[in-house]
Amino acid sequence: MKFELTKEFLQEIIDKIDRQEFELIKTELSELHNVDIAELIEELDEEYGKILFELFEDETSAEILVELDEESREAVLEDLSSQEIAEDLIENLDSDDAADIIADLPSEKKVEVLSHIEDIEHASDIVDLLSYPENTAGGLMAKELIKVNDEWAVLRCVREMRKQAEEVDKVYTIYVVDDDDVLLGTLSLKKLLLSPEKTFIKNIYNEKVFSVKANSDDEEVANIMEKYDLIVLPVVDDLNRLIGRITIDDVVDVMKEEAMEDYNKASGISEQVDASDNIVTLTRARLPWLLIGLMGGIMGAEVIGIFDIENNIELAFFTPLIAAMGGNVGVQSAAIIVQGLASNNLGMDSLAQRLIKELGVALLNGIICSGLIMIITSLIGYPNSISFTVSISLMAVIIFAALFGTFIPLVLDKYKIDPALATGPFITTINDVLGLFIYFMIGKLFLNL
Amino acid sequence: MKFELTKEFLQEIIDKIDRQEFELIKTELSELHNVDIAELIEELDEEYGKILFELFEDETSAEILVELDEESREAVLEDLSSQEIAEDLIENLDSDDAADIIADLPSEKKVEVLSHIEDIEHASDIVDLLSYPENTAGGLMAKELIKVNDEWAVLRCVREMRKQAEEVDKVYTIYVVDDDDVLLGTLSLKKLLLSPEKTFIKNIYNEKVFSVKANSDDEEVANIMEKYDLIVLPVVDDLNRLIGRITIDDVVDVMKEEAMEDYNKASGISEQVDASDNIVTLTRARLPWLLIGLMGGIMGAEVIGIFDIENNIELAFFTPLIAAMGGNVGVQSAAIIVQGLASNNLGMDSLAQRLIKELGVALLNGIICSGLIMIITSLIGYPNSISFTVSISLMAVIIFAALFGTFIPLVLDKYKIDPALATGPFITTINDVLGLFIYFMIGKLFLNL
């Protein structure tokens, strides 16, 4: 079932649409997963994409819609009436996907579509889900789930599950609740299969169950699911009543985004962009760091200007080296802390312990780098005074940058500010400028600048 | 069931171990998830950790063992005989976890432990899994699964599943195979629950199923599972016979590692380390980039030395700015490409199209930054010739770095070299040095250096 979209295949589909060979296309695409059909539609020009989308019906087209990116989704929905959207698409989707689609509609159309959903329970589930912010457990959850009462016996349980299964596409876990819908635990399919028909559920269910409140942050959801290797996580209200469940596939996206955000910050990209965004969006995401870097560069120039470097002009040759090394060490130190905070494996060391350890790493790196620069610059033939000054400064800058890079993210985290900012522009730039200052102060000391 | 390990709790446990209040500890910890107990053991001193681990029995201790980090795992296994490891721990684990534990044992002990496993089928499953490299589908899969024959009726199917369920802890999917064990498709629990007892499986199963070969790369497994939102993925041999299944929780780690690797490369960390590693390991992971940066810095100094900057000393003030901006732009450009390649969303643009787009972004960023530097340096009072030179050079360096940063990862990827290297030391340093060269060449042109 694996599929890779090629230019040839794309052209073939375009030709077939031009020749109106729609049945042929349908047969050919019936082998593909909805994700791949969505990818195909995204790559086609809008008009062709719409034609292709309309070849599919109800359940299939609903599932393709879910996979489409925002732009293509808007395009295909544009031509459909509220009634068509409600009856052909929304009614065929799980509540979470349905809510995501409706949330993106213009507010007028939103109400219209909702009013056209015939299944009242489905409509009310969707309205309910729409009330949760996107980045909360409520925003991630679906309402479809299988639940059984702890007072039931296995036989009744199977019968009730059969009824519920008609509404639920995929059964992940069987939840056990009491008469008030309060979540008590889970029932494994294994236990259900292996227990005699008259056994009561309350005697065979598992009481150890993780759950989250609907207003929990999505990153907390991701952390719990990852830490405890959960495939599905139930969501409860403040009275601990079961109101939905979150599956890992939706959370994988949250995890990826989190990792991407940190990566972006470390690379100097200020908002989530990808290579397919347009030039203005890409520029906007990149300009802020460049501007901060620019200011830092100007400040750096001013710092150098303070000192009288004309008599020791060679010192100026090494300013890029000092600035780059300070920046590199700072980013390394901050990145290790940021990763440690993100994956919760910093253990229980105190700030002081962290700094002492980082000092050790910096000393080791510093001695090696400073020694090398001393030897190499001497061999090249720089005056000893220059070699010595550059070498001592490099040591000082490496130590400073390592401590600064460790300290800042830990302090940011303590004050609930995203520590990944420390790998970003602001701190790196400060690091650069202070590094230059240290360099020339040491130069002044040894060379009388 | 949520739990956060605190220093107080840790001390409390240590005190109780000292007072030998083992029953009390057991009761207190019985509420915790195995993951949390493992974390607790890791934080304790080795001797205390061992005592704590030995409080638990069979199934629980086996599951705690799986969650322990390498160091603590070695410590607790050290004191156990091969027979104890086999009978108390390995027999209670799924084949994939069991294989992971045995793989880490010294080779002598490996054979001994395997020979003590009483369940011959379990032992042969483990031996089978041990034959696959760690970073392949075979290395990720477990042998425990539920499979039914397409010729069976629903009634027989449920009966057989009951038998199989005794061996299988968690039922994710029901696989449908033919008499030769060839994978045909999957059967949803929903269909099974809703179909009359005499229906044949072949009439109700779903033929659309993704599978991977046992020797597939783990990153390919992660990509398929992520793209198609799969919770579990069957593994087949070259004859398409079902031999195992991979669950998403094992693959989440692969995804995380992939993201981390790219992040590390962008931050100048050459191997997977975390904040809890020792000083030497941390230094070793960081030194390579620093050394490359150092060489780059020396080359940069040599480049500056070529030019006669004494008559335009102010030009030297801006070398850190030019180097930093070139580096920043290059990393941004490369990061966007690396992310695009990693998440397969670069679409089908050609190299030329990418470069033209990047040129657009660079022009926009360049005009803004160059304009600003022109204005600001003039206001500060630098000579017009300096303002002009710095401004023009900055434009040139931004354009060069953007194209270079886009070109290199795409070319690396084409030759099957990890494109994330382009965000790392080697390329960034080349970028810096060439940037300085461009700067002073332009300076020479306008200022007769």
Side-chain angles (χ1 to χ4, degrees):
Chain A
M1 244 184 99
K2 246 162 69 188
F3 169 76
E4 194 144 352
L5 186 56
T6 61
K7 280 200 173 159
E8 292 69 40
F9 187 80
L10 200 64
Q11 192 53 51
E12 209 183 291
I13 295 290
I14 293 171
D15 293 344
K16 281 187 182 132
I17 294 176
D18 283 337
R19 293 196 298 267
Q20 310 213 322
E21 298 171 345
F22 299 131
E23 282 311 308
L24 217 66
I25 297 178
K26 272 173 83 170
T27 322
E28 197 162 352
L29 297 188
S30 68
E31 291 296 305
L32 295 191
H33 191 282
N34 305 319
V35 172
D36 293 315
I37 298 175
E39 204 182 309
L40 185 60
I41 292 173
E42 288 168 14
E43 286 293 336
L44 288 168
D45 287 339
E46 196 174 303
E47 285 315 305
Y48 282 85
K50 282 183 184 176
I51 294 173
L52 198 61
F53 180 76
E54 276 160 25
L55 291 182
F56 297 93
E57 279 160 22
D58 301 359
E59 215 162 317
T60 314
S61 62
E63 276 164 27
I64 294 170
L65 185 72
V66 172
E67 302 294 342
L68 284 177
D69 62 17
E70 225 168 300
E71 203 183 338
S72 306
R73 191 191 285 181
E74 252 175 54
V76 301
L77 288 181
E78 207 175 58
D79 290 355
L80 299 178
S81 72
S82 297
Q83 187 168 5
E84 285 170 322
I85 295 177
E87 289 175 7
D88 300 344
L89 301 172
I90 299 299
E91 299 245 14
N92 285 303
L93 288 175
D94 272 357
S95 54
D96 55 342
D97 292 331
D100 287 345
I101 302 257
I102 291 178
D104 286 343
L105 292 174
S107 49
E108 250 174 77
K109 206 157 185 179
K110 215 177 272 186
V111 180
E112 274 183 39
V113 169
L114 282 170
S115 70
H116 277 108
I117 301 175
E118 280 177 15
D119 179 343
I120 298 299
E121 207 183 326
H122 194 48
S124 105
D125 279 351
I126 295 170
V127 171
D128 191 22
L129 290 181
L130 284 172
S131 70
Y132 298 102
E134 215 181 330
N135 57 345
T136 62
L140 284 172
M141 74 180 179
K143 306 288 278 185
E144 290 80 6
L145 48 78
I146 299 278
K147 62 183 177 192
V148 299
N149 192 299
D150 67 321
E151 299 288 342
W152 295 348
V154 165
L155 186 67
R156 165 138 189 229
C157 180
V158 171
R159 210 181 323 127
E160 296 279 346
M161 277 173 63
R162 229 170 243 165
K163 255 191 260 169
Q164 294 177 26
E166 287 184 44
E167 298 295 320
V168 179
D169 249 4
K170 282 183 196 151
V171 180
Y172 295 100
T173 303
I174 307 160
Y175 294 105
V176 181
V177 295
D178 67 11
D179 291 337
D180 296 323
D181 252 2
V182 169
L183 178 65
L184 299 175
T186 59
L187 176 63
S188 78
L189 187 60
K190 178 178 167 175
K191 276 271 172 60
L192 190 69
L193 284 171
L194 296 179
S195 301
E197 288 188 345
K198 287 187 178 157
T199 319
F200 281 105
I201 301 301
K202 62 180 166 200
N203 298 323
I204 54 172
Y205 81 87
N206 177 7
E207 286 177 15
K208 280 195 183 179
V209 59
F210 286 95
S211 63
V212 286
K213 296 267 188 276
N215 55 8
S216 305
D217 189 75
D218 59 354
E219 296 193 4
E220 189 193 335
V221 172
N223 286 340
I224 292 178
M225 295 190 82
E226 195 194 338
K227 180 171 179 189
Y228 300 106
D229 282 351
L230 306 176
I231 300 281
V232 58
L233 181 65
V235 182
V236 295
D237 66 10
D238 288 331
L239 296 173
N240 216 24
R241 288 178 304 197
L242 180 64
I243 56 173
R245 52 90 186 147
I246 298 171
T247 49
I248 182 88
D249 50 319
D250 294 320
V251 172
V252 164
D253 299 336
V254 175
M255 293 177 189
K256 274 276 202 187
E257 270 165 37
E258 241 184 284
M260 286 259 239
E261 270 175 34
D262 284 353
Y263 181 77
N264 277 343
K265 282 186 193 115
S267 312
I269 297 165
S270 67
E271 50 181 300
Q272 190 58 49
V273 290
D274 62 58
S276 60
D277 285 325
N278 67 40
I279 292 182
V280 174
T281 310
L282 283 169
T283 303
R284 213 177 42 214
R286 295 168 56 167
L287 195 56
W289 192 10
L290 296 181
L291 291 181
I292 294 177
L294 201 68
M295 295 307 137
I298 294 172
M299 279 162 64
E302 293 293 291
V303 166
I304 303 177
I306 299 172
F307 300 92
D308 177 20
I309 57 167
E310 280 177 61
N311 298 325
N312 285 286
I313 193 75
E314 287 102 336
L315 219 49
F317 298 177
F318 291 94
T319 48
L321 181 140
I322 296 290
M325 293 296 280
N328 291 349
V329 170
V331 168
Q332 287 180 335
S333 302
I336 286 176
I337 298 295
V338 168
Q339 277 201 2
L341 288 169
S343 53
N344 267 321
N345 66 6
L346 278 194
M348 290 184 301
D349 288 355
S350 67
L351 179 60
Q353 283 170 307
R354 284 271 142 228
L355 288 175
I356 289 169
K357 186 169 185 180
E358 191 61 23
L359 185 64
V361 176
L363 278 172
L364 217 53
N365 277 323
I367 289 169
I368 296 172
C369 290
S370 297
L372 274 174
I373 201 90
M374 181 88 192
I375 295 169
I376 296 172
T377 50
S378 296
L379 288 179
I380 295 178
Y382 285 95
N384 279 343
S385 57
I386 296 284
S387 291
F388 187 69
T389 307
V390 171
S391 169
I392 293 289
S393 306
L394 185 59
M395 184 82 201
V397 167
I398 286 177
I399 290 172
F400 167 74
L403 296 181
F404 194 64
T406 302
F407 183 73
I408 297 295
L410 285 171
V411 169
L412 289 181
D413 187 59
K414 199 169 171 187
Y415 291 102
K416 310 272 172 220
I417 303 170
D418 182 359
L421 284 176
T423 57
F426 194 61
I427 305 291
T428 322
T429 301
I430 293 181
N431 210 343
D432 271 13
V433 176
L434 290 178
L436 285 174
F437 188 73
I438 292 174
Y439 176 48
F440 284 105
M441 279 305 284
I442 291 175
K444 197 179 166 72
L445 213 67
F446 289 109
L447 298 171
N448 299 314
L449 288 185
Chain B
M1 245 185 98
K2 246 161 69 186
F3 170 76
E4 195 146 350
L5 186 55
T6 59
K7 280 199 176 163
E8 292 69 39
F9 188 80
L10 200 64
Q11 192 53 50
E12 210 183 291
I13 295 290
I14 292 172
D15 293 344
K16 281 189 183 133
I17 294 177
D18 283 335
R19 291 197 299 267
Q20 309 212 326
E21 298 171 347
F22 299 130
E23 282 311 308
L24 216 66
I25 298 178
K26 272 173 84 170
T27 323
E28 196 162 353
L29 297 188
S30 69
E31 291 296 304
L32 295 190
H33 191 283
N34 306 320
V35 172
D36 293 316
I37 298 175
E39 205 181 308
L40 185 59
I41 292 174
E42 288 167 14
E43 287 292 337
L44 288 169
D45 287 339
E46 197 174 302
E47 286 314 306
Y48 283 85
K50 281 183 186 177
I51 294 172
L52 196 62
F53 180 76
E54 277 160 25
L55 290 183
F56 297 93
E57 278 159 26
D58 301 359
E59 216 163 315
T60 315
S61 62
E63 276 164 26
I64 295 171
L65 184 71
V66 171
E67 303 294 342
L68 284 177
D69 63 16
E70 227 168 299
E71 205 184 336
S72 306
R73 192 190 284 180
E74 251 175 55
V76 301
L77 288 181
E78 211 175 55
D79 290 354
L80 299 178
S81 71
S82 297
Q83 188 170 1
E84 284 169 324
I85 296 177
E87 289 174 8
D88 300 344
L89 301 172
I90 299 299
E91 299 244 15
N92 285 304
L93 289 174
D94 272 358
S95 55
D96 55 343
D97 291 330
D100 288 345
I101 302 258
I102 290 180
D104 285 344
L105 292 175
S107 49
E108 250 174 76
K109 206 156 187 180
K110 214 178 275 186
V111 180
E112 273 182 39
V113 169
L114 282 171
S115 70
H116 278 106
I117 301 175
E118 278 176 17
D119 180 342
I120 296 298
E121 209 184 324
H122 194 47
S124 104
D125 280 351
I126 295 171
V127 171
D128 191 21
L129 290 181
L130 284 172
S131 71
Y132 297 102
E134 213 182 332
N135 57 344
T136 63
L140 284 172
M141 74 181 179
K143 306 288 277 185
E144 290 80 6
L145 48 77
I146 300 277
K147 62 184 177 191
V148 300
N149 192 298
D150 67 323
E151 298 289 343
W152 296 347
V154 164
L155 185 65
R156 165 138 189 227
C157 181
V158 172
R159 210 181 323 127
E160 297 279 344
M161 277 172 63
R162 229 171 243 167
K163 254 189 261 170
Q164 295 178 26
E166 288 184 43
E167 298 295 320
V168 179
D169 247 6
K170 282 183 195 152
V171 180
Y172 294 101
T173 303
I174 307 160
Y175 293 106
V176 181
V177 295
D178 68 10
D179 292 338
D180 296 324
D181 252 2
V182 169
L183 178 66
L184 299 174
T186 59
L187 177 63
S188 78
L189 187 60
K190 178 178 168 176
K191 275 271 172 59
L192 191 70
L193 285 172
L194 296 179
S195 301
E197 288 188 345
K198 288 187 179 157
T199 319
F200 281 105
I201 299 302
K202 63 180 167 201
N203 297 323
I204 55 173
Y205 81 87
N206 177 9
E207 287 177 13
K208 280 195 183 180
V209 59
F210 286 96
S211 62
V212 285
K213 297 267 188 278
N215 55 8
S216 304
D217 190 74
D218 59 355
E219 296 194 4
E220 189 193 337
V221 173
N223 286 340
I224 292 177
M225 294 190 83
E226 194 193 340
K227 179 170 179 189
Y228 299 106
D229 282 351
L230 306 176
I231 300 281
V232 59
L233 181 65
V235 182
V236 295
D237 65 11
D238 287 331
L239 296 173
N240 216 25
R241 289 178 302 198
L242 180 64
I243 55 172
R245 51 88 188 149
I246 299 171
T247 49
I248 183 88
D249 50 319
D250 295 321
V251 172
V252 163
D253 298 336
V254 176
M255 293 176 187
K256 274 277 200 186
E257 269 165 38
E258 245 183 282
M260 287 259 239
E261 270 173 35
D262 285 353
Y263 181 77
N264 277 343
K265 281 184 193 116
S267 311
I269 298 165
S270 67
E271 51 181 299
Q272 190 57 50
V273 288
D274 62 57
S276 60
D277 284 326
N278 66 41
I279 292 182
V280 174
T281 310
L282 285 168
T283 304
R284 213 177 44 213
R286 294 166 58 165
L287 195 57
W289 191 10
L290 296 181
L291 290 181
I292 294 176
L294 201 68
M295 295 307 136
I298 294 172
M299 280 163 63
E302 292 295 290
V303 166
I304 303 176
I306 299 172
F307 300 92
D308 177 20
I309 57 168
E310 281 178 59
N311 297 325
N312 286 286
I313 193 75
E314 287 102 337
L315 220 49
F317 299 177
F318 291 93
T319 49
L321 181 141
I322 296 289
M325 293 296 279
N328 290 349
V329 170
V331 169
Q332 287 179 335
S333 302
I336 286 176
I337 298 294
V338 168
Q339 278 201 1
L341 288 168
S343 54
N344 267 320
N345 67 5
L346 278 193
M348 290 185 300
D349 288 356
S350 67
L351 178 59
Q353 283 170 304
R354 285 270 142 228
L355 288 175
I356 289 169
K357 186 169 186 181
E358 191 60 25
L359 185 63
V361 176
L363 279 172
L364 218 52
N365 276 324
I367 289 169
I368 297 171
C369 291
S370 297
L372 274 174
I373 202 88
M374 181 90 192
I375 296 169
I376 296 172
T377 50
S378 296
L379 288 178
I380 294 178
Y382 285 95
N384 278 343
S385 57
I386 295 284
S387 292
F388 187 68
T389 307
V390 172
S391 168
I392 294 288
S393 306
L394 184 60
M395 184 82 202
V397 167
I398 286 177
I399 291 173
F400 167 75
L403 296 181
F404 194 66
T406 303
F407 182 73
I408 297 294
L410 285 171
V411 169
L412 289 181
D413 186 59
K414 201 171 169 186
Y415 291 103
K416 309 272 173 220
I417 303 170
D418 181 0
L421 285 176
T423 56
F426 195 60
I427 306 291
T428 323
T429 300
I430 294 181
N431 211 342
D432 270 13
V433 176
L434 290 177
L436 284 174
F437 189 73
I438 293 173
Y439 176 48
F440 285 104
M441 280 304 285
I442 291 175
K444 197 178 166 73
L445 213 67
F446 289 110
L447 298 173
N448 299 315
L449 288 185

